[in-house]
Amino acid sequence: MPYVRSGSATVHFVAGNTPGPTLLLAHGFLLDESVFEPMREPLAAAGINLVTVDARGHGRTQSPDGEQFSYWDMAQDGLAVLNEIGAEKAVIGGMSQGGYTALRMALLAPERVQGLALLDTEAGECTPGELAWYREFFERWCGPEPMAPLVAELAPHLIGGTDPRLWRAWTSRWYSSDRRSIRAAAQCLMERRSVADRLGEITAPALVARGSYDGSSTAQKSDALAAGLAGADGVVTIPGAGHGAAWTHPDVVAPLLIQLVRRAAARPGDAPTQALSAPWTKGRAARGIQAAQ
C-alpha cells in the first residue's frame, strides 16, 4: 500500500493508474479514503486519475499518539502525496473536514491547484453551539457509554440518506475501532479557525455542493463559501442527500467532479497534468511555510 512521510505522520493514500489529470480528494471525520470508492470507476472512465488520502487519526495514516495537529498540517500531507506521485498540479477537494484541508492546500500552494471541489463543507470555525455539541459527543464517544446509541445517532447525521444499508460499511468499522484514537482529530476539528476572510485569495475554478438534507453544512454556510470564491458559480444542491453525498449519491457527484476537472483543464495555461517522470520538486514543502491553525 502506498505511504508517504509528511512531518511526523506516515500518510496512507490510494492512487489510480489512469494517465489523465489528477483529482485528489480528502474524506470527512470518522470516515476514510474509501468513502470515494463508488466514484473511482466512473472517474477513471472519464480519464481522471483519482487519488484519495487518509487523514491523520483515520484509516491507515499513522501519527504519534497524542500529538496535536491542524488542518494546515493535513494540507501539507496532501501536498506530500502530490509530490510522491509526481503530480505538479491537480484538482483537489474533499467532503466536510476534507474540504477544510483542501481550502488550506489552495492557500498554501495556489500554483499547484487547478480546481477546488468542496462537498458538504465550509470555510468557517465552529459556532459556540456546535462546539458544545462536539465536546459532549466526543466525551461520550471516547468514554464507557455503549456504542449502539452513539452509532444510531451518528450514522444518519454523518452519512445521511434514508437507506440504513448505506451506513453499515461505516458502522461496522466504528464498532471495531479504538474509540479513543480520535481524540487528537476531534481537537483539530473543534479548534480550527476560519479561513473565510482568505477565500478571495483562491482564484481556481470551484465546485461547491451540498446535500439538501445536510444539517451540518447548511445552505447558508454553503452560500457564504461560494460567494467568497471567485471561481465558484453558486451552490449545487443534491436532492435527497445528506452530509455524505459523495458516498450515498456518487451517480450525481461524479459527473459534477468530471465537469469541474474539465473546466479546470480548459483554463489558459492549465492543460491536463499527468504524472511527471520524476517526483515534483519538494522545495515548496521544504520551505517550511507556517500558518496558524
Side-chain angles (χ1 to χ4, degrees), residues 102-260:
L103 285 168
R104 287 157 177 80
M105 286 181 69
L107 291 168
L108 283 177
E111 73 282 2
R112 301 187 68 176
V113 176
Q114 292 177 299
L116 198 55
L118 301 168
L119 311 173
D120 294 285
T121 190
E122 60 176 300
E125 58 194 14
C126 287
T127 66
E130 290 167 342
L131 190 57
W133 187 90
Y134 278 137
R135 283 175 174 161
E136 178 184 358
F137 182 84
F138 290 133
E139 283 302 313
R140 294 169 61 203
W141 187 271
C142 296
E145 181 176 335
M147 283 286 285
L150 293 169
V151 168
E153 179 181 344
L154 181 64
H157 174 78
L158 184 63
I159 301 169
T162 57
D163 186 351
R165 290 175 296 181
L166 294 171
W167 309 338
R168 289 175 187 163
W170 302 105
T171 57
S172 62
R173 297 182 203 190
W174 298 337
Y175 278 117
S176 62
S177 68
D178 176 3
R179 298 167 62 173
R180 292 167 293 183
S181 66
I182 67 162
R183 286 192 181 276
Q187 200 72 18
C188 172
L189 175 70
M190 293 188 290
E191 292 183 354
R192 74 183 190 277
R193 296 180 183 175
S194 174
V195 293
D197 61 343
R198 297 190 62 186
L199 293 179
E201 300 174 35
I202 301 172
T203 60
L207 164 69
V208 178
R210 65 176 294 271
S212 62
Y213 294 119
D214 188 349
S216 177
S217 301
T218 63
Q220 182 179 14
K221 291 178 180 179
S222 297
D223 287 342
L225 177 59
L229 293 167
D233 186 17
V235 178
V236 177
T237 301
I238 302 169
H243 194 58
W247 174 258
T248 62
H249 291 67
D251 55 326
V252 178
V253 177
L256 293 173
L257 294 173
I258 292 168
Q259 183 181 38
L260 173 66

Side-chain angles (χ1 to χ4, degrees), residues 74-84 105 108-109 112 284-285:
M74 287 195 274
Q76 293 283 19
D77 296 347
L79 293 172
V81 170
L82 292 183
N83 293 342
E84 183 69 13
M105 286 181 69
L108 283 177
R112 301 187 68 176
R284 193 165 210 302

